[in-house]
Structures are given as C-alpha cells and as structure tokens.
Amino acid sequence: MIELKNINKSYIQGKNKYHVLHDINLKIEQGEFLAIMGQSGSGKSTLINIIGFLDDQFEGIYNYYEHPIHEYRRAQFSKLRNQNVGFVFQNFKLIQNITIADNVALPLLYAGAKRAFIKERVSEVLKAVGLAGYEKQLPKNLSGGQQQRVSIARAIVTAPKFLIADEPTGALDSKTSAEIMELFKHLNQDNQTTIIIVTHDPKVGAQADRLVHILDGHLTEDQDHHKRKVRARQ
Ligand SMILES: Nc1ncnc2c1ncn2[C@@H]1O[C@H](COP(=O)(O)OP(=O)(O)O)[C@@H](O)[C@H]1O
Ligand SMILES: [Mg+2]
C-alpha cells in the first residue's frame, strides 16, 4: 500500500538547513495497525505528514498503491489526501461552537455528499465510536476521551483507506488512553482500515500490531508483535 524508499527531508530556515529525516525505508501493507515511536523531536510528525500527503517537499520515492506520489503536483496531492486519509490529532481540533454531528459531517460536506446521506452516515460513525445519541451536543460538554472519539468519527466518516493519528492519546489519562487504543484496534479489525499511530508512549506503542522506532530521523527497530520478532528491514 505505502512504500517509502530513501526518503530524506530537510527544513530550511534562513541560511540553515536542518536534515530531519534520513534515508527512511518503510513498507506498510493494507490493514496494518502500526505505531511509530520515538522521543520528542525525532521526526515522527515530519514523517507522517509525508505519509499522509500533507507535505510534498521531500526527497526520495513514495509509492502509494504503486503510484509514484513523489512525481505528483500539489493539486493531485490534495486530492489524494482528501480521498484517502483521515487525521486524528492530540488536541482533537474540533470546532467548538458547532454540534458534534456538524463536526463529524464536515469532511462529507467538503466532498459534496447529499444531506440525507450525511445524516445517516454521521449517526453510523458516532455509533461506531461509542457516541450514539450525541449528535446535538457541543464539544465543550464532552470529556477529553469523548472529544477524541468525535475526532476519530470525523476521521473515518469518509471511509478513508488509512488513518493517521499523531499522539492521539497525548492529552488523555492512561485509562482513557487505553480505551481510545481499543477503539483504534476495533476499527482496524472491523473495517480493515490501515492505522498509523505516532506516540512517544511505550504503553501505547505496545498495543499496535507492529512497532517502528525512530531516533534522530533514522528508523531503527521494526517489531511485529504478532510474530514476536524483529523483521528484516525493507
Ligand atoms: N516547520 C519546521 N521548520 C523547521 N524545523 C522544523 C519544523 N517542523 C519540525 N522541525 C524540526 O524537525 C525536527 C523533528 O520535528 P517533528 O517531526 O515535529 O518531531 P516529533 O513529532 O517526533 O516531535 C525537530 O528538530 C523540529 O524542531
Ligand atoms: Mg510530533
């Protein structure tokens, strides 16, 4: 599904160039539940912004379903992003003055979906994240864990091929965080949605099926929890 070959990324600031990702090689198959773990500043967000088609400024090869994404123009990139990826962030990024249903509906509105379909689909995904009946509530009346569930509902409403979650449990206590990870696990198993989670928390990382470590912009270890072995790096 996703194949990165020798990806390098630098940020330019004035006369300085910061080389943040070094020769990243990574293959992700459809249906995988992968965690990318590394300390703050190691390049996790930079890497998943590339994987999620948010950043087209990189060197190297990115094949997506065998299409050479690195050759795409910016407009093609945005289209690819809108049609394929759902994003979940640490701070939920909900719009505070509109209802839960309207927050979840946004990606469908952008995609031009019909009103009746939107209503039905929004209820369906709210149910899938354990928030049936919360349509008319405002985000501020929900707990952190519930708000993250809403943002997950918003991320899956268009049935994307893959989900990217950047520190999705970073603002949650450990019990709530475990519940959110359970939800990701279910979404992965029930719908075969590929899930890529970024975390600096080993407890969160351990719940994914596969764990990739990143250190100072280098991918180091790649563990498959099912097989309990370190696989050969692709
Ligand atoms: N827009 C940017 N401009 C310049 N440097 C950046 C930018 N974004 C991130 N960096 C730097 O790149 C490195 C990796 O950042 P990031 O990918 O956000 O790490 P992580 O998500 O693992 O904390 C850090 O040293 C950070 O300061
Ligand atoms: Mg980050």
Side-chain angles (χ1 to χ4, degrees):
M1 178 179 187
I2 289 165
E3 181 181 36
L4 305 180
K5 282 188 190 170
N6 293 318
I7 297 285
N8 281 273
K9 165 80 187 179
S10 298
Y11 289 112
I12 315 281
Q13 274 181 338
K15 285 182 186 161
N16 299 318
K17 189 173 166 184
Y18 301 98
H19 193 167
V20 176
L21 295 179
H22 301 262
D23 294 319
I24 301 285
N25 290 294
L26 181 65
K27 270 189 190 172
I28 304 170
E29 303 296 343
Q30 187 165 343
E32 278 201 272
F33 182 15
L34 170 81
I36 299 173
M37 199 168 95
Q39 59 200 37
S40 184
S42 55
K44 304 183 295 298
S45 294
T46 303
L47 175 59
I48 56 160
N49 287 347
I50 292 173
I51 294 177
F53 316 121
L54 281 168
D55 181 6
D56 61 358
Q57 300 295 301
F58 59 86
E59 287 160 39
I61 293 174
Y62 182 174
N63 294 320
Y64 180 63
Y65 286 110
E66 290 164 18
H67 296 285
I69 300 313
H70 50 282
E71 291 172 2
Y72 279 28
R73 292 163 192 276
R74 190 150 294 177
Q76 291 174 288
F77 234 70
S78 331
K79 198 172 158 198
L80 200 61
R81 180 170 68 243
N82 296 335
Q83 295 178 348
N84 290 271
V85 202
F87 293 93
V88 175
F89 302 96
Q90 175 170 354
N91 51 3
F92 324 134
K93 297 201 178 176
L94 299 177
I95 300 176
Q96 291 301 318
N97 57 354
I98 65 172
T99 65
I100 299 307
D102 288 345
N103 268 281
V104 176
L106 277 179
L108 291 176
L109 282 175
Y110 289 137
K114 296 252 164 35
R115 210 182 223 187
F117 171 78
I118 293 181
K119 191 156 186 258
E120 194 177 321
R121 178 67 183 152
V122 165
S123 296
E124 187 179 66
V125 293
L126 281 175
K127 191 170 169 221
V129 301
L131 291 177
Y134 279 73
E135 283 82 351
K136 300 269 164 63
Q137 302 256 3
L138 288 173
K140 65 167 189 225
N141 296 326
L142 272 58
S143 69
Q146 288 173 323
Q147 290 192 45
Q148 192 58 301
R149 285 172 189 274
V150 175
S151 91
I152 293 169
R154 181 185 54 191
I156 61 173
V157 76
T158 56
K161 293 271 185 222
F162 65 101
L163 275 190
I164 282 186
D166 194 350
E167 307 267 9
T169 63
L172 305 175
D173 62 70
S174 58
K175 180 169 171 282
T176 310
S177 162
E179 287 165 5
I180 291 293
M181 287 305 289
E182 270 306 309
L183 174 59
F184 279 123
K185 227 179 268 186
H186 280 293
L187 293 173
N188 172 250
Q189 284 164 4
D190 298 349
N191 311 326
Q192 285 302 298
T193 307
T194 307
I195 300 186
I196 304 164
I197 283 186
V198 153
T199 185
H200 62 263
D201 182 348
K203 272 200 278 199
V204 170
Q207 290 182 69
D209 292 336
R210 180 180 167 202
L211 182 57
V212 170
H213 293 263
I214 184 167
L215 179 66
D216 298 335
H218 297 266
L219 282 194
T220 53
E221 246 180 289
D222 192 346
Q223 289 169 329
D224 191 321
H225 286 159
H226 283 330
K227 298 187 184 118
R228 293 275 163 207
K229 67 175 188 191
V230 177
R231 36 166 123 183
R233 286 272 309 286
Q234 286 119 350

